[in-house]
Amino acid sequence: MGKGGEGGGDGGKSEENMAAWLVSVNTLKIQPFQLPPLGPHDVRVRMKAVGICGSDVHYLKTMRCAHFVVKEPMVIGHECAGVIEEVGSEVKSLVVGDRVALEPGISCWRCNYCKGGRYNLCPDMKFFATPPVHGSLANQVVHPADLCFKLPDNVSLEEGAMCEPLSVGIHACRRANVGPETNVLIMGAGPIGLVTMLAARAFGAPRIIIVDVDGYRLSVAKSLGADDFVKVSTNSQDVDEDVVQIQKAMGSDIDVSFDCAGFSKTMSTALNATRPGGKVCLVGMGHNEMTVPLTPAAAREVDIVGIFRYKDTWPLCIEFLRSGKIDVKPLITHRFKFSQEEVVEAFEVSARGGDAIKVMFNL
């Protein structure tokens, strides 16, 4: 992964491999993408389902996401699943024809973070569509076999692609120790807020309240199993009033709050609404800097934890999907084919938001 590039080759295959390249602000082009040689522990995967993430849209609109900056053309996409077409000489766990979900990050496995079990913090992580590493919105990709997870017969390839955003919610619930005695507040009913809600329920949370400014997304959250919701404004002066409404909707202490938006107001609301001794987990990255009431939260011993991507989540994601404990299918609201015209349209739909929750490519 990340070794391919533009050029006349096609990885030695009979057909030319094509990919969606981010070439400049608001410009995506389907162009040839040369695959790297297949290593002994690699597999070649034909992509079948690729979702659009908020970070993909950030890169398209600004050529950057947080401190990652696109400096040269890059293949986009990292939420993906496909079918094995070739396996390396040392691969024993997968065979041609297996349907797999791909974990998009390759860590070094040598640094202290990797050796300590926190490989998601690896400083040398090579992650699909995080510059300068190419992504997976392509006909085919080459990826390590140990990061390709076989899907059960009753889990679709689209659901397999949804393991990536679902992994964020699962990692957040693990970080916050969500369990059967944890009442959960979720700030933000976008795709990550919704998968965090589904994950919290699967972890046993008995009551979940979700908050957003958008009535449609709150109705979706309710249909997906939220116990109640609170519609709020974007006005920072309304935090105290919002907290009263949220606590009233919960009807008891809020043990864990997830800020899945990442703005000053959402974080302030989460900190103020959470009970003394509770936890607030910052999931969204809307703003790099915030003004929040840290001292009052500290005086109530509210713990603040952050997350970055995920680790060891794909097996649990797949089990939740296989067992029916989590159903991500309703989150997929729009589907597009892999053509120049539809790639552009799909990103426009995703960027507009509205009734678009998860936009999926079927390749």
Side-chain angles (χ1 to χ4, degrees), residues 23 27 51 58 68 83 108 124 144 156 168 170 173 191 200 215 226 237 251 269 330 333 347 357 360:
V23 296
T27 305
H58 275 296
F68 298 106
V83 178
C108 76
D124 294 320
S156 72
V168 175
I170 284 177
C173 286
Q237 304 303 313
T269 304
T333 54
F347 272 84
I357 297 175
M360 185 74 66

Side-chain angles (χ1 to χ4, degrees), residues 6-334:
E6 294 176 282
D10 60 1
K13 307 300 172 255
S14 59
E15 62 177 288
E16 190 168 38
N17 188 45
M18 306 297 285
W21 290 79
L22 172 60
V23 296
S24 62
V25 172
N26 288 325
T27 305
L28 290 165
K29 292 184 179 179
I30 293 183
Q31 299 178 154
F33 177 41
Q34 185 173 356
L35 295 177
L38 189 75
H41 299 282
D42 294 336
V43 291
R44 179 167 55 85
V45 186
R46 179 165 293 278
M47 290 289 95
K48 292 294 185 181
V50 180
I52 297 179
C53 173
S55 65
D56 296 323
V57 175
H58 275 296
Y59 284 126
L60 176 63
K61 296 298 181 183
T62 67
M63 298 294 281
R64 67 183 302 145
C65 186
H67 60 282
F68 298 106
V69 180
V70 181
K71 297 179 179 178
E72 57 187 28
M74 177 185 79
V75 176
I76 203 79
H78 62 269
E79 303 176 357
C80 55
V83 178
I84 301 292
E85 290 210 326
E86 186 180 5
V87 299
S89 59
E90 298 298 316
V91 174
K92 311 299 182 188
S93 57
L94 296 167
V95 298
V96 172
D98 280 346
R99 300 156 58 256
V100 294
L102 283 67
E103 181 172 351
I106 304 173
S107 55
C108 76
W109 293 117
R110 293 182 299 275
C111 70
N112 288 335
Y113 297 106
C114 287
K115 291 191 288 187
R118 302 187 74 177
Y119 68 84
N120 57 307
L121 303 180
C122 175
D124 294 320
M125 177 75 77
K126 295 177 174 61
F127 195 93
F128 276 153
T130 298
V133 181
H134 293 303
S136 60
L137 185 47
N139 297 130
Q140 301 175 70
V141 301
V142 169
H143 205 53
D146 66 327
L147 294 174
C148 297
F149 298 84
K150 188 174 178 179
L151 296 173
D153 291 341
N154 68 332
V155 176
S156 72
L157 286 157
E158 285 190 339
E159 292 172 278
M162 289 295 292
C163 283
E164 199 281 337
L166 181 57
S167 285
V168 175
I170 284 177
H171 184 55
C173 286
R174 284 175 169 170
R175 286 277 287 155
N177 297 316
V178 172
E181 296 180 339
T182 312
N183 288 324
V184 169
L185 166 65
I186 295 176
M187 303 297 301
I192 292 300
L194 294 175
V195 293
T196 302
M197 180 192 77
L198 294 174
R201 185 69 82 203
F203 274 81
R207 187 162 177 80
I208 302 173
I209 305 298
I210 193 161
V211 175
D212 203 284
V213 299
D214 187 285
Y216 170 75
R217 294 205 167 189
L218 289 171
S219 69
V220 172
K222 182 68 173 173
S223 71
L224 290 173
D227 293 291
D228 205 348
F229 62 80
V230 177
K231 186 177 180 181
V232 296
S233 74
T234 58
N235 191 338
S236 297
Q237 304 303 313
D238 296 337
V239 168
D240 290 344
E241 180 182 335
D242 292 345
V243 168
V244 171
Q245 293 299 112
I246 291 165
Q247 291 176 333
K248 181 180 178 182
M250 181 64 77
S252 58
D253 282 343
I254 295 169
D255 302 301
V256 169
S257 294
F258 294 100
D259 181 359
C260 297
F263 299 111
S264 292
K265 187 191 176 188
T266 54
M267 192 62 175
S268 296
T269 304
L271 288 168
N272 287 342
T274 304
R275 67 164 173 83
K279 285 188 177 68
V280 173
C281 182
L282 179 56
V283 182
M285 295 184 179
H287 284 162
N288 282 341
E289 296 182 2
M290 304 182 200
T291 301
V292 296
L294 278 182
T295 301
R300 294 184 294 115
E301 294 194 356
V302 174
D303 293 337
I304 301 172
V305 297
I307 71 160
F308 185 59
R309 295 173 178 156
Y310 31 67
K311 63 183 183 72
D312 300 319
T313 51
W314 259 252
L316 184 56
C317 285
I318 291 171
E319 175 55 25
F320 279 155
L321 296 173
R322 184 203 65 79
S323 66
K325 206 166 185 179
I326 288 180
D327 182 7
V328 294
K329 294 188 292 294
L331 299 179
I332 305 170
T333 54
H334 295 72

